[in-house]
Each structure stands twice: as structure tokens, then as C-alpha cells.
Amino acid sequence: KTVTVEYPKDFDPLAGAPASTRPPPQQQQKPEGAPTPAKKEDVIFEGTTEDLQKLVIESPVPVLLDVYADWCGPCKQLTPALEQICVNAGGMLRLVKINMDQKRQI
């Protein structure tokens, strides 16, 4: 025996479900007053001995200094998040990355 169930077209089976079981929204609304994302090349820099003074000490905005190594697993996971934070900050924050295996003198 086949049973057919009629339901409204706008029926949402997850409407009463806890938030943790709902899928994430397709597009997140940008909070009012949030800055326009910056270009990656404007806020993310590779630090060297020659330009560290200019990029960090003389920066007009706060700087997040990321000291990492290519072999470091947690560094590989954290770097994309740090880059996205700086891009989303719209130029109000810089990320200066220093590879400690290549720039030991710093």
C-alpha cells in the first residue's frame, strides 16, 4: 500500500530543529558597518630583514606577526585563517609572515 502525504510548499523540516543540526546559511549577511575586504597583496606581506622595520615598527595600522615554518602542521592550519582575518579587516590590520627556517637572523 502506498501512502501519499501532502505538505505545504514552504514547509521547512528543520524549522523546529536545534541550531546545531541546521545546515549553515548559503550566504552570510555582512554586519552593518563592516569594512570592505582588502586586497590580499595590500595587507599580507612576507617579512625580510631589510623591510621588517618598515612593515612592523613603522606600520600605520596594527600588525599581526606570524612566525612560522613550512614543516609546522599547526602553522599550515592557522595561516589561512590569519590571512582571511586580515583581508576581511579591510586594511585596518596587516599580517607580516616570517619563515623562521629561511630568516633565522630575525
Side-chain angles (χ1 to χ4, degrees), residues 3-31:
V3 177
T4 304
V5 178
E6 297 291 328
Y7 58 91
K9 291 184 181 189
D10 60 347
F11 176 71
D12 181 4
L14 297 177
S20 62
T21 61
R22 292 183 192 168
Q26 294 299 325
Q27 287 187 342
Q28 295 181 354
Q29 295 291 335
K30 189 165 76 166

Side-chain angles (χ1 to χ4, degrees), residues 25-103:
Q26 294 299 325
Q27 287 187 342
Q28 295 181 354
Q29 295 291 335
K30 189 165 76 166
E32 189 174 322
T36 304
K39 293 180 182 176
K40 190 173 180 176
E41 59 271 9
D42 293 339
V43 293
I44 300 172
F45 304 91
E46 281 289 333
T48 64
T49 313
E50 296 79 32
D51 62 6
L52 195 62
Q53 174 80 23
K54 183 180 113 192
L55 288 175
V56 178
I57 307 297
E58 298 171 5
S59 173
V61 296
V63 176
L64 178 57
L65 187 61
D66 180 19
V67 181
Y68 72 98
D70 289 330
W71 52 265
C72 175
C75 298
K76 289 180 182 181
Q77 291 179 326
L78 186 60
T79 297
L82 296 176
E83 290 177 352
Q84 193 62 47
I85 289 169
C86 291
V87 167
N88 290 344
M92 297 188 313
L93 174 68
R94 281 185 179 172
L95 175 65
V96 176
K97 303 185 323 182
I98 298 176
N99 185 328
M100 283 312 296
D101 288 335
Q102 296 173 356
K103 310 286 186 218

